[in-house]
């Protein structure tokens, strides 16, 4: 199989709640997502998506994803997309770094591998564990009372795991965490995710003030060293996210006993191939995982479902159904949440079919003679 053409679309994904806000006053109203189609000489097409959480979450931004694909794409013409490891090494040789640029392309390669073999990506990534995958709901940063109301509402929809966006004023954050934990029941899981928003002295005050609560603390500070310092002064279970973006920091953090759970976002690692490597290493090391992406629509939600459903159940801390946060559908066949759970499709590949009337004309198309 050879890649003949790559089509790229820009799609706006408005938030159903109107706005998503997190640490340090950051917010997004309309997400800018990029959809790719990788067309091959067999007539099969694979689809992928990448959607950064605005330009100020990770070192990634929406226009950068498209600029990177425009730069990298011509080198992929003529390559075999089914050799997922080999073509990832090739992409790294053509374009160093910029993992998020490669994420949608790699997702499309897995979609093609599934369509060619007649198997869902979940099966190709190791096999399906359990009937369904438990989801969490991220709660946008607002007043403590409003966040508690939102959690109560989403709890009625079936969610039992919640990730509070904190990382603001530490005193208000303490109120936010107490207000929400106060309405939850035993067995419900609460994560306070500061998204790097606290300075070390602020994080130390928060973990001391909530030490009596059943709550996880996620990525309190910007640097790994700052987070490790906080970790060494709290008994609360600890999640690292922004600092864990490849196998090297994952191994270092495990050696330091720097966390109990890691967050694997597909585009942060550069696609499903690299996310799966990290997932398998985390299973080997005994680390539970949040398996998700930075943001996305139907195609990313499908990719998350395959990565999560092929992860042993005891290692699945949470996952996310981003397509229920946004009001714009992108594809049919994507997983839909039922009672706080979703499941990976059993159709070949990612199991989705893009809505071409939504995508419209591609922003650009890469085709022509492959470079020698
Ligand atoms: Mg996080």
């Amino acid at each position: 199989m050879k890649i003949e053409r790559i089509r790229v679309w820009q799609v706006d994904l408005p938030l159903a709640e109107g706005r998503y806000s997190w640490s340090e006053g950051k917010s997004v109203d309309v997400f800018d997502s990029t959809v790719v189609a990788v067309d091959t000489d067999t007539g099969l097409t694979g689809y992928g998506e990448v959607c950064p959480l605005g330009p100020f979450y990770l070192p990634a931004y929406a226009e950068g994803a498209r600029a990177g694909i425009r730069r990298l794409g011509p080198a992929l013409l003529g390559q075999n997309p089914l050799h997922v490891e080999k073509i990832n090494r090739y992409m790294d040789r053509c374009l160093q770094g910029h993992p998020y640029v490669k994420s949608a392309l790699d997702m499309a390669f897995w979609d093609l591998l599934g369509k060619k073999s007649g198997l869902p990506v979940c099966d190709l990534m190791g096999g399906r564990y359990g009937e369904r995958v438990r989801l969490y709901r991220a709660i946008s940063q607002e007043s403590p009372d409003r966040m508690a109301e939102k959690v109560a509402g989403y709890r009625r929809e079936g969610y039992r795991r919640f990730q509070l966006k904190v990382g603001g004023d530490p005193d208000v954050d303490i109120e936010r965490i107490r207000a929400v934990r106060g309405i939850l029941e035993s067995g419900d899981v609460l994560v306070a995710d500061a998204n790097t928003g606290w300075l070390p002295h602020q994080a130390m005050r928060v973990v001391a003030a909530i030490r009596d609560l059943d709550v996880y603390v996620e990525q309190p500070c910007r640097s790994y060293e700052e987070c490790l310092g906080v970790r060494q002064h709290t008994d609360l279970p600890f999640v690292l996210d922004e600092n864990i973006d490849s196998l090297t920091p994952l191994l270092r953090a495990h050696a330091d006993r720097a966390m109990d759970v890691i967050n694997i976002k597909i585009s942060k690692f550069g696609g499903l191939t690299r996310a799966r490597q990290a997932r398998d290493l985390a299973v080997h090391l005994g680390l539970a995982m949040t398996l998700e992406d930075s943001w996305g629509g139907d195609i990313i939600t499908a990719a998350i479902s395959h990565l999560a459903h092929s992860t042993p159940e005891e290692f699945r801390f949470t996952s996310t159904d981003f397509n229920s946060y946004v009001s714009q559908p992108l594809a049919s066949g994507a997983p839909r949440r039922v009672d706080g759970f979703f499941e990976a499709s059993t159709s070949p590949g990612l199991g989705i079919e893009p809505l071409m009337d939504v995508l419209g004309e591609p922003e650009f198309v890469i085709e022509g003679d492959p470079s020698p």
Side-chain angles (χ1 to χ4, degrees):
M1 186 183 285
K2 284 184 178 165
I3 297 172
E4 280 195 340
R5 183 172 69 160
I6 299 170
R7 290 173 288 157
V8 180
W9 292 265
Q10 187 277 329
V11 191
D12 284 340
L13 301 178
L15 262 294
E17 281 190 0
R19 172 166 291 186
Y20 182 74
S21 306
W22 68 101
S23 66
E24 302 171 272
K26 296 168 189 165
S27 69
V28 172
D29 297 352
V30 179
F31 283 92
D32 180 340
S33 198
T34 299
V35 173
V36 305
V38 175
D39 299 315
T40 68
D41 61 347
T42 62
L44 290 174
T45 295
Y47 295 96
E49 182 188 3
V50 62
C51 185
L53 184 51
F56 32 46
Y57 171 60
L58 290 171
Y61 66 107
E63 299 88 343
R66 293 188 288 275
I69 293 166
R70 202 188 281 271
R71 182 71 182 77
L72 176 62
L76 298 175
L77 299 177
Q79 297 293 314
N80 186 341
L82 304 182
H83 298 169
V84 290
E85 299 280 351
K86 186 177 174 188
I87 198 168
N88 266 279
R89 288 174 62 83
Y90 176 73
M91 287 199 292
D92 287 344
R93 209 177 75 201
C94 296
L95 178 71
Q96 191 176 149
H98 303 278
Y100 73 107
V101 164
K102 300 156 188 168
S103 189
L105 294 163
D106 178 71
M107 215 175 267
F109 304 155
W110 279 90
D111 191 30
L112 283 164
L113 187 58
K115 285 171 171 166
K116 175 70 175 169
S117 63
L119 293 169
V121 169
C122 174
D123 291 22
L124 294 169
M125 298 194 96
R128 183 177 301 253
Y129 289 92
E131 294 298 312
R132 54 188 191 162
V133 174
R134 188 183 282 281
L135 300 165
Y136 81 85
R137 190 76 188 190
I139 305 297
S140 179
Q141 191 173 106
E142 296 186 68
S143 70
D145 289 349
R146 187 77 190 110
M147 290 174 86
E149 280 171 30
K150 287 259 179 78
V151 167
Y154 284 118
R155 200 176 183 286
R156 284 192 290 275
E157 291 184 23
Y159 287 105
R160 292 292 181 270
R161 299 193 175 186
F162 302 93
Q163 189 197 70
L164 288 191
K165 290 296 155 187
V166 288
D169 178 311
D171 292 305
V172 182
D173 284 337
I174 293 164
E175 288 179 43
R176 289 180 172 117
I177 296 162
R178 286 203 168 275
V180 170
R181 189 67 246 188
I183 63 149
L184 293 179
E185 295 182 11
S186 172
D188 294 351
V189 173
L190 181 62
V191 180
D193 188 356
N195 290 110
T196 74
W198 292 322
L199 292 172
H201 73 99
Q202 297 173 319
M204 293 293 285
R205 285 189 57 230
V206 175
V207 296
I210 60 170
R211 62 183 305 171
D212 60 310
L213 299 181
D214 179 9
V215 58
Y216 290 71
V217 175
E218 180 162 339
Q219 190 74 38
C221 303
R222 185 161 302 281
S223 75
Y224 172 73
E225 290 75 12
E226 291 167 328
C227 289
L228 182 60
V230 177
R231 155 75 166 180
Q232 288 165 342
H233 289 86
T234 178
D235 296 331
L236 295 172
F238 216 78
V239 187
L240 282 183
D241 181 353
E242 283 87 335
N243 294 142
I244 308 293
D245 57 3
S246 72
L247 299 187
T248 304
L250 169 51
L251 284 166
R252 180 187 173 198
H254 176 259
D256 291 342
R257 300 294 183 266
M259 73 277 155
D260 308 291
V261 179
I262 57 166
N263 184 313
I264 295 182
K265 294 182 161 73
I266 294 169
S267 59
K268 184 175 65 173
F269 282 79
L272 282 169
T273 301
R274 296 283 154 76
R276 181 191 58 155
Q277 287 173 346
R279 186 272 310 269
D280 291 346
L281 177 60
V283 168
H284 175 74
L285 297 173
L287 290 167
M289 288 160 273
T290 292
L291 297 150
E292 58 169 356
D293 208 330
S294 296
W295 204 270
D298 282 321
I299 302 173
I300 281 172
T301 301
I304 293 169
S305 72
H306 288 283
L307 178 66
H309 218 148
S310 60
T311 301
E313 288 179 274
E314 62 270 35
F315 292 96
R316 295 198 303 239
F317 183 57
T318 53
S319 285
T320 326
D321 57 328
F322 283 119
N323 61 350
S324 79
Y325 292 63
V326 299
S327 57
Q328 177 62 62
L330 282 183
S332 61
R336 297 283 157 207
R337 168 170 44 99
V338 178
D339 294 334
F341 294 83
F342 69 5
E343 56 187 276
S345 168
T346 54
S347 298
L350 293 173
I352 55 95
E353 198 56 50
L355 302 172
M356 298 313 287
D357 56 329
V358 169
L359 296 182
E361 286 297 308
E363 184 171 305
F364 60 94
V365 177
I366 298 165
E367 60 188 334
D369 289 334
S371 43

